[in-house]
Amino acid sequence: MKAFKFFFAFAAAGAFFALPIFSQNRPVANSIEALSGKEKSVTITWEFPAKCDPPISGVQIFRGKKPFVSFEQIKGLEPIAKLESGKKSCTDTLAAPGDYFYAALAETPKGLYKIIIPGVNATTKGAKPMIPEPSETALTKVENKDTNLPDPQKEVFYEGQRVRSAPLPNPGTLLGFSEKKTEMSAKAKKAARELGGKKIVSPKEFKSPYFFEEDMFSPDGGDEYTLFEALRAGLAPKKYPESVDILKDYLSVRRSQECGDRAQFYLGESYYFCKDYKSAIGCFIKVQDAFPELSKQWIDSSLDLLTLD
């Protein structure tokens, strides 16, 4: 009897301390924008989730002359602003014309939170301050002094590969695939904001898969790495029939609860884009408790499309 009481108390305590893990968000800013203003200024705005783990103690804003696609670009840069945790905007005054890009990172008790997600907490479109272009003679003098002025014709390279000047927050690109890139659509922006905890607005039909933040960067190993490789082989390059088989194989082996839930959701997406909406609904229902709002959007869309068939 005593052993039973001890076990019950231990289990209840475990449930109590585990609850905050699932009720809080990572300290990643979302909805970041940089808008040109008057008098050579750019206004940067952003938002953080209401509750974060670890908690946010401050905000640092970084500026660059090309898009931020990884934390490596932040190293060695001094922030243009260090702000209190509750701040949601700041103004940057610039001296030279050109495109400028910004990133908003959270300070936590453990240090700077080292995650960059283009289109989520880093701008992908350059902000142009309202500064008159110098004359040809003056421009030559400026270029002689500062060779780092942005060149719209210059190719940008990242980790040895050519990339566009404003990379999209496309999960396939972040997972290592080089696809033909287009300008970021409104739906792509919505998908990126979902990563930061923004409320999801369901379209009638989804056009591309949703990827969880945990699976957008290569982990060190374990179940997370196996899932990352499974996504690279199937869902990320939009090979949906192959993705169904790969994810079913992945789920046939015992996995951690978190990886298993995400894999089940990805399997539902794979069925969805194969137009097998009944199977997709079954997968999304299985993970409703883990991802209630997100699963509802995909279930509703699947039901709509199933009715049209």
Side-chain angles (χ1 to χ4, degrees), residues 154-165:
K154 186 183 293 182
E155 292 184 341
V156 180
F157 288 82
Y158 171 60
E159 295 185 350
Q161 295 184 353
R162 183 180 180 278
V163 297
R164 61 179 283 159
S165 60

Side-chain angles (χ1 to χ4, degrees), residues 35 41-42 47 70-71 81 97 104-105 130-131 157 159 190-191 202 211 213 228 234 243 253 275 285:
L35 302 175
S41 68
V42 171
E47 291 184 9
S70 76
F71 185 77
L105 300 186
M130 294 183 179
I131 303 174
F157 288 82
E159 295 185 350
K190 289 180 182 178
S202 172
F211 289 84
E213 178 189 339
F228 179 87
S243 181
V253 179
K275 300 188 183 301
I285 287 175

